[in-house]
Amino acid sequence: MTTAPAPAGRALEPTDIRGRVAELHSIREQALAGPGGRATAAQHAKGKLTARERIELLLDPGSFQEVEQLRRHRATGFGMEVKKPYTDGVITGWGTVEGRTVFVYAHDFRIFGGALGEAHATKIHKIMDMALATGAPLVSLNDGAGARIQEGVSALAGYGGIFQRNTRASGVIPQISVMLGPCAGGAAYSPALSDFVFMVRDTSQMFITGPDVVRAVTGEEISQNGLGGADVHAETSGVAHFAYDDEETCLAEVRYLLTLLPQNNREAPPAQPTADPAGRRGEVLLDLVPADGNRPYDMRRVIEEIVDDGEFLEVHERWARNIICALARLDGRVVAVVANQPQVLAGVLDIAASEKAARFVQMCDAFNIPILTLLDVPGFLPGVDQEHGGIIRHGAKLLYAYCNATVPRISLILRKAYGGAYIVMDSQSIGADLTLAWPTNEIAVMGAEGAANVIFRRQIAAAEDPEAMRHKMVKEYKSELMHPYYAAERGLVDDVIDPAQTREVLVKSLAMLRSKHADLPSRKHGNPPQ
């Protein structure tokens, strides 16, 4: 092989095509190997996979196509000019999940701790632009140490470009952030702008300022996990939608979620064949929900009985547990379920539940997912903390989300539906396409006991036996205004159905609504309550 004189500091370069190809393969091997076995062993010792191992678990085998694998930074100073690894600490590209295109970027913690620099950010910008242009989901595998200090403000500007693209893509393509390491400061804001956040216990954290800064400013002592670990964000802050014990399970659930979402806002979610009969009767529903409105039950069991094969993916399972938000299938087609949970706080709406359901409804509306609302709600949670915390403002978020949604909407009243909470939970008056009820429904301004105490307070007070009179007035109020057919007689409920036929009725109703088309007024955008 003939070679030309090499520039100073470089090895002799091949001059024929075979030599060039051999050189390419050698460079590519360096890029694929990364910083070496020692760095990989250190990553594994922390209980973490490498970026490429994560991508292999996320995507269909052999489907990943990498972009800008040979990119290197251009920074100088602080020794950066002699440390110029390929990929610059982030792996970008596309592949498939169940045969459908998905774009992905993954921080490589082994290179500069996954910190974001100018070249690193430009690679992410490119893959985000490609995802938006082609109309395919974007998954970010986050394991980075924030902005690269050696590159100064150029790194910070890179974050700005990511945030701008997150916002442009919002409601256009699904954006999923998977937290697989510590992500602080600017690194935490891109996930906050995405549709779903996954976290792994013990190895992933999210916070704006870390424990050292908290200690210096407030004097509080707290660990990284105590400040921003997976359980904190899944249970307390609501930042994380899902939390898992290991990366393998986490990435498997990301794949499952992607099968329930459309590629973009111009498509419907993918349908799948099911062996669960559309007309299957649910006799067990007759015993699941007690007729006594004061007795709790698990709404999850109702959902299991209605949806295909009893399978559903609950979003924010451990935060605001008095309301359930889930994705499932009915007759093979994806449907969203929003349901009060009588087992927790009697299923009342509070600040956290309102926020949780509002964001979920907005996401479903953006991605053409029909919404089924299951009501058993006694009202909003009373209390000074709730009022001072802005329950009016937060409850209005849920009201706005439902009123603004144009996807098919069906509400089913199982038992209690009282007061403003009944209206907010997708009542007919705010635009539900169909409102159904079971014979156990109680739709009213408030419970019979409270109503009787207000309406008949003078008669009760003047009676020789106030308790007997109260009991009589409660019974009278129920028979006059709270019987199961009162709302149906006035056209506020489209039908009262046999609980055992719930699945069949819902499948037929959703099939009818599949061609629904609704336009919103022409406007730049609404101004939802914040």
Side-chain angles (χ1 to χ4, degrees):
M1 179 177 69
T2 304
T3 57
R10 291 198 58 174
L12 295 177
E13 297 179 348
T15 57
D16 67 351
I17 187 63
R18 287 180 176 79
R20 294 288 186 183
V21 170
E23 180 186 43
L24 170 63
H25 287 310
S26 175
I27 292 172
R28 199 174 297 286
E29 285 175 10
Q30 292 179 48
L32 290 171
R38 189 172 176 182
T40 299
Q43 182 82 345
H44 289 165
K46 298 172 185 173
K48 295 159 63 177
L49 300 174
T50 66
R52 295 192 185 278
E53 290 169 340
R54 290 163 175 165
I55 290 172
E56 287 176 6
L57 286 174
L58 173 67
L59 301 176
D60 296 336
S63 69
F64 182 56
Q65 297 291 316
E66 192 168 351
V67 175
E68 295 196 355
Q69 183 186 69
L70 306 184
R71 188 71 179 258
R72 301 162 109 174
H73 72 75
R74 299 177 294 180
T76 58
F78 308 103
M80 293 293 287
E81 60 273 7
V82 296
K83 294 177 65 177
K84 302 180 72 172
Y86 293 112
T87 74
D88 199 44
V90 64
I91 298 167
T92 58
W94 75 88
T96 60
V97 172
E98 300 292 333
R100 298 193 303 154
T101 300
V102 172
F103 287 83
V104 61
Y105 68 85
H107 299 136
D108 191 341
F109 194 82
R110 302 172 303 163
I111 298 175
F112 301 128
L116 181 137
E118 182 185 20
H120 182 121
T122 303
K123 288 181 65 175
I124 295 175
H125 296 168
K126 182 184 181 84
I127 213 68
M128 295 179 80
D129 289 341
M130 292 175 70
L132 185 58
T134 59
L138 174 72
V139 178
S140 62
L141 305 179
N142 298 273
D143 188 4
R148 196 175 296 172
I149 299 172
Q150 298 93 326
E151 296 194 32
V153 72
S154 296
L156 291 177
Y159 273 126
I162 292 173
F163 303 156
Q164 182 189 48
R165 287 167 173 82
N166 284 134
T167 304
R168 283 173 52 203
S170 180
V172 181
I173 58 171
Q175 299 180 82
I176 299 173
S177 296
V178 189
M179 316 310 293
L180 300 165
C183 295
Y189 275 119
S190 178
L193 290 168
S194 60
D195 298 303
F196 298 97
V197 175
F198 287 73
M199 294 189 75
V200 176
R201 292 186 182 89
D202 299 326
T203 58
S204 68
Q205 299 89 29
M206 294 174 67
F207 35 71
I208 300 303
T209 55
D212 293 341
V213 177
V214 170
R215 185 185 309 112
V217 174
T218 70
E220 297 171 288
E221 292 283 347
I222 193 164
S223 67
Q224 285 197 347
N225 278 323
L227 183 63
D231 289 327
V232 168
H233 287 312
E235 295 178 12
T236 306
S237 72
V239 170
H241 299 78
F242 306 95
Y244 298 99
D245 291 330
D246 56 78
E247 294 188 15
E248 291 83 357
T249 304
C250 180
L251 292 169
E253 290 299 295
V254 174
R255 284 179 58 89
Y256 178 50
L257 173 60
L258 284 166
T259 68
L260 296 168
L261 300 174
Q263 290 292 90
N264 53 64
N265 64 340
R266 299 183 302 276
E267 298 182 4
Q272 291 185 356
T274 178
D276 196 346
R280 169 175 55 79
R281 286 182 62 82
E283 301 292 345
V284 69
L285 292 172
L286 297 170
D287 301 313
L288 273 181
V289 180
D292 181 356
N294 294 318
R295 289 179 56 194
Y297 62 94
D298 189 353
M299 183 66 83
R300 287 188 185 88
R301 294 189 61 196
V302 176
I303 298 170
E304 286 175 359
E305 185 61 28
I306 293 172
V307 302
D308 291 356
D309 304 310
E311 293 182 1
F312 62 92
L313 178 64
E314 187 169 352
V315 179
H316 269 143
E317 178 181 359
R318 295 161 60 198
W319 180 58
R321 294 184 301 113
N322 43 322
I323 201 161
I324 296 171
C325 297
L327 294 171
R329 280 191 167 87
L330 268 171
D331 198 29
R333 296 182 179 273
V334 177
V335 64
V337 180
V338 179
N340 306 111
Q341 173 57 293
Q343 233 178 21
V344 180
L345 294 175
V348 297
L349 288 178
D350 60 3
I351 289 173
S354 299
E355 285 198 343
K356 170 180 169 178
R359 183 81 195 282
F360 184 69
V361 168
Q362 287 174 176
M363 183 279 299
C364 294
D365 186 49
F367 294 117
N368 308 311
I369 301 173
I371 301 168
L372 167 63
T373 304
L374 304 180
L375 283 87
D376 191 345
V377 60
F380 282 93
L381 181 64
V384 174
D385 288 345
Q386 288 290 307
E387 295 294 346
H388 288 185
I391 184 62
I392 297 171
R393 177 167 51 87
H394 294 285
K397 293 179 184 179
L398 181 55
L399 181 60
Y400 187 100
Y402 269 125
C403 289
N404 204 47
T406 60
V407 293
R409 290 154 50 190
I410 299 174
S411 62
L412 172 62
I413 302 160
L414 279 62
R415 205 170 55 173
K416 296 188 297 294
Y418 294 164
Y422 152 62
I423 299 297
V424 168
M425 288 289 291
D426 205 19
S427 62
Q428 188 183 92
S429 60
I430 66 167
D433 297 296
L434 283 173
T435 303
L436 308 172
W438 284 0
T440 46
N441 81 81
E442 293 180 0
I443 306 173
V445 174
M446 62 177 67
E449 289 78 7
N453 287 337
V454 172
I455 298 171
F456 306 112
R457 62 182 181 276
R458 291 181 180 174
Q459 293 95 316
I460 293 172
E464 292 184 7
D465 186 344
E467 270 310 309
M469 178 59 73
R470 180 181 290 107
H471 180 75
K472 177 186 176 184
M473 293 297 100
V474 166
K475 187 175 180 180
E476 181 178 325
Y477 183 85
K478 279 187 174 182
S479 65
E480 288 291 325
L481 297 176
M482 291 182 64
H483 64 80
Y485 308 101
Y486 183 86
E489 289 170 359
R490 283 152 184 80
L492 298 174
V493 165
D494 293 297
D495 199 9
V496 179
I497 64 172
D498 178 351
Q501 292 181 300
T502 299
R503 175 178 166 84
E504 179 183 7
V505 171
L506 290 175
V507 167
K508 289 180 178 179
S509 299
L510 288 168
M512 176 274 294
L513 289 168
R514 203 165 294 144
S515 58
K516 175 188 174 183
H517 176 77
D519 289 320
L520 292 172
S522 178
R523 58 185 174 183
K524 187 174 181 180
H525 58 73
N527 186 24
Q530 297 296 323

